[in-house]
């Protein structure tokens, strides 16, 4: 019998409980099973500290055979039915809240609070200043607290803050509310990205992020209809139109927060609607992502790696540049009204761009399903439409309000450019701390763009708005260029790994020291080790 350590062997050592022990080779040891044991001896050993939350559930699960298609499809449907309705509701309600300022602009908030053009724009910027300031605190919380419960707590906070708009007088109070609201809502996008990546594989992540974001369009339709309805509130009623709108949003946030708190799981291991067998299958199903589920230990080395990874900053620059376009959404109601439409007409004319955006994102998701490595081309392929829209807005006479409105609607076809990249960020980063850091930096870029966006729409540029439209046009051109360079960089990284042809083992060993001082070695999948995409040489970047 060989004395070489096997997956179940124990060796006496004097060490700290978290010491990583590699058994020494001994002369005369014999390799068993045609050299398999010797090969396993050469695999790297890893400490049991900071492992993925799925480690305990997956201990002893060494079956790497493909999950039967019938079982995988059944599980995917079960996940979709339990998770997607809540994600759709969350994104829809959040979008209604984010766009509330645009609708309230034509419902009386500007007149009631005596806001200047600059002050109104500053309210839009304040929201994203809060977004920026709280990205790191949110990342800290995601690493240490249950993700879904943390998101739910923030949704309940939105309900309170949305309602406070109605009793907050003047510009200063509204600025403070918008700042705090942005700080709270800043957890949604990174939180949803983290949660979706825990339950779905690479192709499914992109599709479901697209499906979730396309609810923004449906929410835009709902928001327009609510604004249309509250506009006709009688002047004799104590509450006016824009305050009624904010109270409705507050109620929707409350309902969403309660549902999310009660029914959304923090990760597959805590999903009550799954059996233990289904939880194991859910984790096995996404091991191809090479990203793991999550770990609650902050890893300084992963944080540093995120900061020096070129793709982190390429995605950051994209997020900042592309979200300058967000100023269009804030100004949409004012721009439509500027084409000499009435307030009721303006609220209803907000519906078509929302439908356009929904259909565009849906089509992008459909294309992505059949071209899993083509998300960069999908994003670039959508940029000509908003570019054309901006050109129409720049060159058409102001008297052509129909064609001008059509050009404005075309800018909404740029939404799939951003949604495609959001999913791309998720699937190109591994290591939980690193992924949180990259997501936070991406969200900071997003917030910078959204904070700058409202400031380009100054009163002196009206009614032509040539400068704002030119800036938006330039940002769409820059989007295509940045995405192309991100693809080139990731493609080159994949080729380097293919040429190196190393470290193709899917399993490795984790070693724990028992209370009696003996070593327990457990063979586990590398996806449970919380390795970064740089450390895991089996990782290939989605394109």
């Amino acid at each position: 019998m060989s004395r070489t350590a096997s997956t179940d062997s124990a060796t006496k050592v004097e060490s700290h409980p978290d010491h990583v022990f590699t058994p020494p080779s001994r002369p005369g040891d014999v390799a068993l099973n045609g050299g398999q044991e010797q090969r396993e001896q050469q695999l790297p050993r890893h400490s049991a500290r900071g492992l993925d939350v799925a480690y305990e559930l997956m201990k002893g699960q060494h079956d790497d055979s493909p999950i039967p298609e019938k079982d995988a499809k059944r599980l995917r449907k079960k996940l979709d039915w339990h998770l997607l309705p809540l994600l759709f509701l969350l994104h829809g309600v959040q979008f209604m809240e984010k766009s509330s300022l645009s609708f309230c602009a034509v419902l009386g908030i500007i007149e009631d609070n005596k806001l200047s053009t600059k002050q109104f724009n500053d309210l839009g910027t304040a929201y994203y200043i809060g977004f920026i300031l709280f990205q790191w605190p949110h990342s800290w919380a995601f690493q240490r607290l249950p993700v879904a419960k943390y998101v739910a707590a923030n949704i309940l906070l939105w309900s309170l803050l949305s309602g406070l708009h109605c009793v907050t007088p003047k510009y200063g109070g509204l600025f403070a509310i918008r700042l705090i609201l942005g700080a709270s809502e800043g957890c949604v996008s990174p939180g949803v990205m983290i949660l979706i990546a825990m339950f779905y594989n690479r192709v499914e992540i992109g599709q479901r992020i697209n499906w979730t974001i396309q609810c923004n369009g449906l929410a835009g339709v709902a928001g327009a209809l609510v604004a249309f309805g509250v506009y006709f509130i009688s002047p004799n009623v104590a509450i006016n139109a824009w305050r009624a709108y904010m109270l409705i949003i507050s109620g929707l946030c409350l309902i969403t927060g309660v549902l999310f708190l009660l029914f959304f799981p923090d990760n597959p291991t805590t999903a009550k609607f799954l059996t233990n067998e289904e939880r194991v299958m859910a984790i096995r199903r996404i091991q191809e992502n090479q990203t793991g589920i999550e770990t609650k230990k902050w890893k300084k080395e992963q944080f540093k790696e995120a900061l020096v990874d070129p793709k982190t900053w390429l995605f950051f620059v994209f997020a900042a540049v592309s979200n300058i376009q967000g100023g269009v959404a804030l100004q949409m109601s004012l721009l439509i009204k500027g084409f000499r439409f009435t307030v009721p007409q303006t609220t209803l004319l907000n519906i078509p761009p929302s439908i356009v955006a929904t259909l565009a994102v849906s089509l992008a998701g459909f294309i992505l399903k059949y071209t899993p490595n083509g998300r960069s081309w999908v994003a670039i392929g959508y940029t000509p439409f908003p570019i054309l829209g901006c050109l129409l807005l720049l060159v058409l006479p102001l008297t052509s309000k129909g064609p001008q409105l059509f050009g404005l609607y075309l800018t909404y076809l740029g939404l799939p450019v951003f949604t495609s990249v959001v999913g791309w960020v998720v699937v190109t980063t591994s290591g939980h701390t690193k992924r949180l850091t990259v997501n936070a930096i991406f969200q900071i870029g997003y917030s910078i763009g959204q904070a700058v966006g409202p400031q380009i729409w100054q009163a002196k540029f009206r009614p032509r708005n040539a400068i704002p439209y030119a800036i938006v046009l330039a940002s769409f051109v820059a989007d295509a260029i940045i995405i192309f360079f991100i693809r080139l960089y990731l493609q080159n990284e994949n080729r380097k790994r293919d040429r190196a042809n190393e470290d193709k083992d899917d399993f490795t060993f984790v070693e724990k020291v028992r209370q009696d001082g003996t070593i327990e070695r457990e063979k586990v999948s590398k996806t449970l080790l919380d390795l970064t995409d740089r450390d895991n040489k089996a990782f290939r970047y989605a394109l």
Side-chain angles (χ1 to χ4, degrees):
M1 175 69 117
S2 166
R3 296 178 61 188
T4 304
S6 66
T7 56
D8 299 314
S9 66
T11 306
K12 187 79 172 180
V13 295
E14 298 290 335
S15 66
H16 184 277
D18 292 313
H19 172 70
V20 180
F21 176 77
T22 304
S25 58
R26 300 181 178 90
D29 279 352
V30 179
L32 299 181
N33 301 324
Q36 176 65 21
E37 186 171 329
Q38 185 181 43
R39 178 172 174 273
E40 290 183 349
Q41 277 291 104
Q42 297 171 352
L43 292 176
R45 312 296 198 264
H46 297 269
S47 169
R49 295 185 68 183
L51 293 178
D52 197 277
V53 293
Y55 167 69
E56 289 298 328
L57 180 65
M58 298 298 290
K59 277 182 67 173
Q61 300 285 341
H62 302 149
D63 182 10
D64 59 351
S65 61
I67 299 174
E69 179 61 28
K70 181 180 179 181
D71 293 340
K73 187 175 181 180
R74 175 181 55 80
L75 178 60
R76 184 172 62 247
K77 284 186 176 180
K78 190 171 186 178
L79 291 171
D80 284 346
W81 278 108
H82 282 83
L83 304 181
L84 292 185
L86 289 171
L87 290 175
F88 291 168
L89 178 64
L90 169 59
H91 251 271
V93 170
Q94 187 205 20
F95 185 81
M96 288 183 71
E97 203 296 315
K98 284 170 67 175
S99 60
S100 61
L101 203 58
S102 176
F103 287 114
C104 288
V106 295
L107 292 175
I109 193 173
I110 293 176
E111 293 78 10
D112 284 0
N113 292 279
K114 299 179 174 59
L115 300 176
S116 66
T117 297
K118 184 180 185 307
Q119 288 175 328
F120 177 76
N121 291 341
D122 286 346
L123 293 181
T125 297
Y127 179 93
Y128 289 101
I129 292 175
F131 223 88
I132 295 170
L133 293 177
F134 266 74
Q135 279 310 302
W136 290 118
H138 288 320
S139 292
W140 183 93
F142 286 142
Q143 186 80 64
R144 292 164 175 81
L145 303 175
V147 177
K149 301 298 183 294
Y150 180 72
V151 171
N154 276 278
I155 301 171
L156 295 173
L157 180 58
W158 306 348
S159 177
L160 173 64
L161 294 170
S162 296
L164 286 176
H165 280 71
C166 303
V167 295
T168 304
K170 309 303 179 185
Y171 167 72
L174 288 173
F175 187 95
I177 291 294
R178 297 303 294 179
L179 183 76
I180 301 170
L181 188 60
S184 177
E185 288 195 29
C187 74
V188 172
S189 292
V192 168
M193 289 162 69
I194 291 166
L195 289 168
I196 289 178
M198 291 181 188
F199 291 92
Y200 295 101
N201 65 36
R202 285 189 175 194
V203 175
E204 294 164 354
I205 288 170
Q207 292 173 329
R208 279 143 188 85
I209 285 178
N210 272 353
W211 296 347
T212 301
I213 295 178
Q214 78 182 27
C215 292
N216 290 359
L218 299 176
V221 174
L225 293 175
V226 170
F228 179 78
V230 300
Y231 174 76
F232 293 100
I233 289 178
S234 170
N236 299 322
V237 178
I239 187 169
N240 57 15
W242 74 266
R243 288 187 170 89
Y245 186 93
M246 293 308 302
L247 286 176
I248 291 171
I249 298 300
S250 177
L252 290 174
C253 290
L254 178 63
I255 293 169
T256 304
V258 171
L259 291 175
F260 214 83
L261 181 67
L262 294 176
F263 299 113
F264 205 99
D266 295 298
N267 60 62
T269 69
T270 62
K272 294 180 180 179
F273 61 88
L274 297 178
T275 65
N276 199 62
E277 180 183 357
E278 288 173 333
R279 290 171 190 166
V280 171
M281 192 187 306
I283 294 165
R284 283 185 57 208
R285 208 175 67 84
I286 64 167
Q287 284 181 344
E288 66 183 66
N289 294 358
Q290 298 287 336
T291 57
I293 305 297
E294 65 170 332
T295 176
K296 292 304 181 185
K297 181 177 183 293
W298 178 266
K299 298 182 178 179
K300 186 177 180 180
E301 66 278 7
Q302 289 195 13
F303 173 75
K304 290 180 178 179
E305 182 179 313
L307 296 181
V308 299
D309 191 335
K311 73 177 186 295
T312 300
W313 301 106
L314 286 170
F315 282 127
F316 167 82
V317 172
F318 167 83
V321 170
S322 67
N323 280 283
I324 292 173
Q325 304 146 14
V328 176
L330 177 66
Q331 301 290 327
M332 178 60 77
S333 294
L334 293 175
L335 292 172
I336 293 175
K337 190 179 178 184
F339 295 147
R340 298 183 301 282
F341 290 105
T342 65
V343 172
Q345 288 173 334
T346 296
T347 59
L348 293 179
L349 286 172
N350 271 275
I351 293 176
S354 298
I355 295 174
V356 166
T358 301
L359 294 176
V361 174
S362 300
L363 180 59
F366 178 79
I367 296 171
L368 181 60
K369 181 178 180 180
Y370 296 100
T371 57
N373 247 1
R375 68 189 71 227
S376 53
W377 298 131
V378 171
I380 291 172
Y382 270 94
T383 56
F385 300 105
I387 289 173
L388 174 61
C390 290
L391 289 173
L392 292 176
L393 289 163
L394 285 169
V395 302
L396 289 172
L398 293 176
T399 53
S400 303
K401 66 178 184 178
Q404 285 262 333
L405 189 62
F406 176 72
L408 193 58
Y409 288 171
L410 279 179
T411 63
Y412 271 59
L413 280 172
L415 183 59
V417 179
F418 182 71
T419 61
S420 298
V421 175
V422 170
W424 205 10
V425 175
V426 175
V427 300
T428 53
T429 306
S430 181
H432 196 63
T433 300
K434 182 177 181 181
R435 190 159 61 238
L436 289 174
T437 304
V438 171
N439 283 349
I441 292 172
F442 182 80
Q443 292 298 323
I444 289 172
Y446 164 83
S447 305
I448 290 173
Q450 291 282 358
V452 171
Q455 299 303 320
I456 67 175
W457 298 88
Q458 298 177 25
K460 64 183 179 182
F461 297 136
R462 296 174 182 169
R464 177 83 265 182
N465 288 312
I467 299 298
Y469 286 133
I471 293 173
V472 171
L473 187 155
S475 73
F476 278 113
V477 174
D479 285 350
I481 295 171
I482 296 167
I483 292 169
F484 180 71
F485 276 104
I486 294 174
R487 181 184 175 92
L488 284 182
Y489 173 75
L490 296 179
Q491 196 172 47
N492 186 53
E493 288 296 305
N494 285 344
R495 287 171 178 167
K496 286 180 182 178
R497 296 185 180 207
D498 290 340
R499 286 194 297 267
N501 197 31
E502 60 182 1
D503 198 15
K504 289 197 171 184
D505 291 298
D506 292 326
F507 291 90
T508 188
F509 287 98
V510 166
E511 297 183 342
K512 287 185 176 180
V513 180
R514 300 190 184 104
Q515 289 185 350
D516 63 1
T518 57
I519 293 291
E520 175 188 358
R521 297 175 59 219
E522 178 68 26
K523 186 177 180 180
V524 299
S525 168
K526 284 183 180 178
T527 59
L528 301 180
L529 297 180
D530 194 38
L531 298 177
T532 67
D533 49 279
R534 282 194 174 183
D535 291 335
N536 185 0
K537 301 305 181 183
F539 191 98
R540 294 297 181 271
Y541 296 104
L543 303 175

